[in-house]
Amino acid sequence: MTVSSRALAMEALVQLAKSQAPLDTIVGQLTRSSEPSRLERQLLNVILLTTLRRRREIDAVISHFSSRPLAKLEPKILAGLRVGTCQLLCLDKIPPSAAVNETVKGLGRQPKWLKGFVNGVLRAISRKRQQALKLMAECQWPASSNHPDWLAYLLAREYGQETAVAICRQNQEQPSLALRLNPNLTSREAYSALLTEADISWRAGQSPLALILPDFQGRVTSLPGFSQGLFHVMDDGAQLIPALFGPLTAGPFLDGCAGLGGKTIMVDQLLPSEAILTAVEPHSGRFSLLQENLQRCHCRPVTSHKMSLADFASGYNGPPFQAILLDAPCSGLGVMGRHPDIRWNRRPADLPRCQQQQLALLATAAPLLAPGGTIVYATCSLARLENEGVVEKFLEKQDDFTLLSGPALPQLPRLDEHGFLRLLPAPANDGFFAARLQKK
């Protein structure tokens, strides 16, 4: 049974508030059962992402026009008001009548008076659109950040007010798609010619094999050379992280948190041909995609383990690793532009909880590393608790490790005075942090 994009958007917002599951997971479950058309799916994504990116401005408008406080509205009614207001004020191509009527219809089986309430509020906003837009524009910090108060204040405290405002503003935008080219199969010149032939605009990224597709909105699988493994999707800034190892030797290498394999593929392309590469990923879904991506990109035979790093370490009896990459699970505060649901899913207590998990991963990886070897610790978080805070606590307990804080590598001009790589959200990259830890 086909369900409208507005109805799906409302249900997704309700489930997001209730379960705090990732938005991608919720949308995937809803669309599998409802089978929306391609256009309905596109509209669903636009409505959801825009509503989440501008939620506090939207709520300011609803609060002004609603006779009932937002806190007392039932979840489905509040979701309907947010979805309708988003269409009326943020999506110019949708006729106001369609925005109101289809949203009210998408509420489904609700009491007549509740549907009438939603219809009345949305029609009032539509009639007084300029006043509503002015209310959005007049939002003051932290409401103007469109982030929860605690998160806006955290960013201001750690980066200063001006930078915090810039980060939050950037998080309102959809980051561009970035590709990492396979140097064994193509070059920037050769692949960019394929994009130009397909009438797809591109520009060079920060690393020599990065290409940015600023206007691309289609499926990645439709890009030329996808099935041949000419590229894999990888954030422009994240492509700099493996360079922190410097020249990689033929000794064994471990990717301790492989995920979908983006950085595993990069490391495979940087390692000498005789090197042995091992990857660990405990999540079944991510592990399956890891295998697919490694095969598609024609990587060397990678020894992959579907288990936690702790389980792998407890049974490992091979030679120590010369280098280990720990792209640690984190709060994801650096990727809130790409995944705006993160800002509403996270709580202050999540940060110390993440720190404990990250310290446990480092403590598990340390004995696996050969003397003189390097661990690159990385996160996609902006919180210092998960970044410098983890490094400092690890070094306090591990006196056989030191932080490599020498001069910036030629390919990494952004290392700060401590040797940290820190990228703030920008049009072509998410926020990232990385540090080099060497075993004495």
Side-chain angles (χ1 to χ4, degrees):
M1 177 182 177
T2 302
V3 182
S4 75
S5 54
R6 279 85 168 182
L8 289 171
M10 285 182 264
E11 182 58 29
L13 292 177
V14 170
Q15 290 192 23
L16 182 67
K18 184 190 302 182
S19 68
Q20 296 186 322
L23 183 64
D24 290 346
T25 301
I26 293 172
V27 171
Q29 292 171 345
L30 290 173
T31 53
R32 272 195 298 272
S33 59
S34 62
E35 299 180 352
S37 67
R38 182 177 62 85
L39 291 177
E40 286 284 325
R41 177 65 184 261
Q42 289 177 346
L43 180 57
L44 166 65
N45 288 334
V46 169
I47 290 174
L48 277 176
L49 294 178
T50 307
T51 300
L52 292 171
R53 288 191 177 115
R54 304 192 66 179
R55 196 176 98 173
R56 295 196 69 175
E57 291 175 306
I58 288 171
D59 283 358
V61 173
I62 297 171
S63 295
H64 179 82
F65 285 92
S66 172
S67 59
R68 303 175 66 197
L70 268 61
K72 293 188 176 182
L73 294 175
E74 293 194 18
K76 189 68 168 283
I77 301 305
L78 178 57
L81 289 172
R82 284 171 171 166
V83 165
T85 304
C86 170
Q87 295 170 77
L88 289 170
L89 302 182
C90 307
L91 304 179
D92 295 336
K93 294 182 180 180
I94 298 178
S97 58
V100 175
N101 295 336
E102 293 302 315
T103 299
V104 173
K105 188 186 301 182
L107 287 168
R109 295 182 178 180
Q110 296 289 335
K112 187 175 180 180
W113 72 270
L114 274 178
K115 282 191 170 184
F117 168 74
V118 173
N119 182 71
V121 172
L122 293 181
R123 289 196 180 281
I125 293 171
S126 179
R127 285 195 306 272
K128 300 182 178 180
R129 187 170 187 271
Q130 292 306 313
Q131 179 186 354
L133 290 171
K134 185 179 179 184
L135 286 169
M136 295 178 80
E138 290 176 347
C139 282
Q140 300 297 308
W141 183 272
S144 61
S145 73
N146 282 301
H147 291 62
D149 281 359
W150 74 269
L151 188 47
Y153 290 135
L154 173 75
L155 294 172
R157 184 169 66 250
E158 297 195 351
Y159 293 96
Q161 183 71 23
E162 184 177 347
T163 301
V165 170
I167 291 172
C168 293
R169 186 177 295 122
Q170 181 58 49
N171 284 344
Q172 305 310 89
E173 307 296 329
Q174 174 69 32
S176 300
L177 178 68
L179 308 180
R180 157 81 181 188
L181 301 181
N182 188 335
N184 301 321
L185 300 176
T186 189
S187 64
R188 179 180 280 174
E189 292 72 23
Y191 190 75
S192 61
L194 293 178
L195 292 176
T196 301
E197 185 179 342
D199 199 26
I200 299 172
S201 60
W202 61 273
R203 62 179 176 81
Q206 300 176 73
S207 68
L209 292 167
L211 282 180
I212 312 299
L213 280 54
D215 303 318
F216 184 75
Q217 300 293 330
R219 291 180 176 272
V220 172
T221 54
S222 69
L223 289 171
F226 173 83
S227 58
Q228 292 85 1
L230 298 189
F231 68 88
H232 67 277
V233 174
M234 191 175 188
D235 182 85
D236 189 32
Q239 294 188 39
L240 299 173
I241 290 175
L244 282 166
F245 288 104
L248 288 166
T249 66
F253 185 103
L254 172 65
D255 187 345
C257 305
L260 304 183
K263 297 182 184 67
T264 317
I265 295 169
M266 269 194 72
V267 169
D268 168 76
Q269 295 165 356
L270 294 169
L271 282 170
S273 59
E274 66 272 23
I276 297 173
L277 176 56
T278 300
V280 175
E281 172 52 48
H283 187 274
S284 296
R286 288 193 291 266
F287 185 82
S288 296
L289 291 172
L290 166 67
Q291 301 305 302
E292 292 178 16
N293 289 329
L294 293 174
Q295 184 176 7
R296 182 178 62 82
C297 292
H298 306 279
C299 295
R300 74 191 68 206
V302 177
T303 306
S304 305
H305 299 271
K306 188 174 75 67
M307 59 178 64
S308 68
L309 183 61
D311 288 340
F312 169 78
S314 66
Y316 182 71
N317 55 9
F321 294 96
Q322 292 297 319
I324 298 175
L325 174 61
L326 280 183
D327 187 10
C330 66
S331 65
L333 298 185
V335 295
M336 292 186 291
R338 202 174 299 278
H339 302 285
D341 53 305
I342 287 176
R343 69 187 78 172
W344 307 113
N345 275 347
R346 297 295 178 263
R347 301 292 182 268
D350 293 334
L351 302 184
R353 189 180 306 117
C354 286
Q355 186 189 67
Q356 292 305 310
Q357 295 171 347
Q358 292 149 357
L359 286 168
L361 285 169
L362 278 169
T364 301
L368 299 173
L369 189 69
T374 302
I375 293 176
V376 168
Y377 170 76
T379 77
C380 57
S381 175
L382 300 176
R384 296 181 186 273
L385 195 70
E386 298 180 86
N387 298 335
E388 296 96 322
V390 168
V391 172
E392 291 166 3
K393 285 182 177 291
F394 173 73
L395 294 176
E396 287 173 4
K397 296 181 179 179
Q398 300 278 163
D399 57 6
D400 57 337
F401 274 80
T402 185
L403 174 67
L404 286 175
S405 56
L409 301 172
Q411 65 271 48
L412 287 171
R414 297 192 183 191
L415 293 179
D416 65 17
E417 67 274 16
H418 304 293
F420 296 139
L421 172 65
R422 190 193 318 280
L423 299 175
L424 298 180
N429 66 258
D430 296 322
F432 281 96
F433 170 91
R436 301 176 290 169
L437 302 165
Q438 187 176 58
K439 198 169 191 176
K440 297 177 185 176

